Amino acid sequence: MNFELLIQEAFKGREKAYVPYSNFKVGAAILTDSGKIYNGCNIENASYGATNCAERTAIFKAVSEGEKEIKAIAVVGSPEEYTFPCGICRQVISEFAKEDTPVIIAKNENEFLVNRLDEILPGAFTKKDLIK
């Protein structure tokens, strides 16, 4: 898998971030089962609860286009440190990804970590928990 391409797409998403309050831009890109890549950015709101993270923006774009499975996701934030998905984003990722889905956390195209989803969200509550 070409992690560099996914990271580049996450940076493209980051460029579009709307962050007038925090000034902290985040970008994400997901590779779907169909092979398409969707990117997203964080979008802030004066009512902080209405803010949307980059990961969820990318996922919701993909789902709205009929995609239902994430094969990999890349997240970029600060170039000085690794920016991991927040808890809500980890939960949303788990709705559309498998436990072994790669989650790439990048400072840049050369410095990145690759974790499995179950490493960053152990014991996830998923649709399997609802089936009795």
Side-chain angles (χ1 to χ4, degrees):
M1 180 175 300
N2 184 346
F3 293 142
E4 290 79 11
L5 177 61
L6 208 54
I7 293 167
Q8 288 170 2
E9 286 296 318
F11 273 106
K12 286 180 186 176
R14 185 179 181 275
E15 291 172 13
K16 298 173 187 163
Y18 176 75
V19 292
Y21 309 107
S22 73
N23 293 313
F24 188 76
K25 294 181 177 187
V26 179
I30 62 168
L31 172 65
T32 63
D33 193 34
S34 71
K36 290 184 181 177
I37 295 175
Y38 295 83
N39 66 20
C41 61
N42 53 328
I43 303 166
E44 294 181 345
N45 191 285
S47 174
Y48 293 132
T51 293
N52 201 54
C53 298
E55 300 90 327
R56 287 182 284 144
T57 299
I59 292 167
F60 295 161
K61 283 171 64 175
V63 171
S64 74
E65 294 294 322
E67 303 284 358
K68 299 289 189 283
E69 187 174 337
I70 297 170
K71 297 306 250 180
I73 183 167
V75 180
V76 298
S78 169
E80 288 84 39
E81 59 189 336
Y82 296 108
T83 303
F84 281 78
C86 74
I88 293 171
C89 287
R90 293 176 197 210
Q91 181 63 42
V92 172
I93 294 165
S94 75
E95 182 71 17
F96 300 101
K98 295 179 179 163
E99 293 176 345
D100 63 348
T101 298
V103 180
I104 302 106
I105 312 300
K107 292 183 191 179
N108 55 57
E109 291 176 37
N110 299 314
E111 294 179 276
F112 58 90
L113 306 172
V114 180
N115 296 100
R116 292 167 36 122
L117 177 58
D118 60 358
E119 292 174 320
I120 68 165
L121 185 62
F125 182 85
T126 67
K127 50 190 147 200
K128 289 185 246 170
D129 295 303
L130 298 174
I131 300 172
K132 303 270 179 192

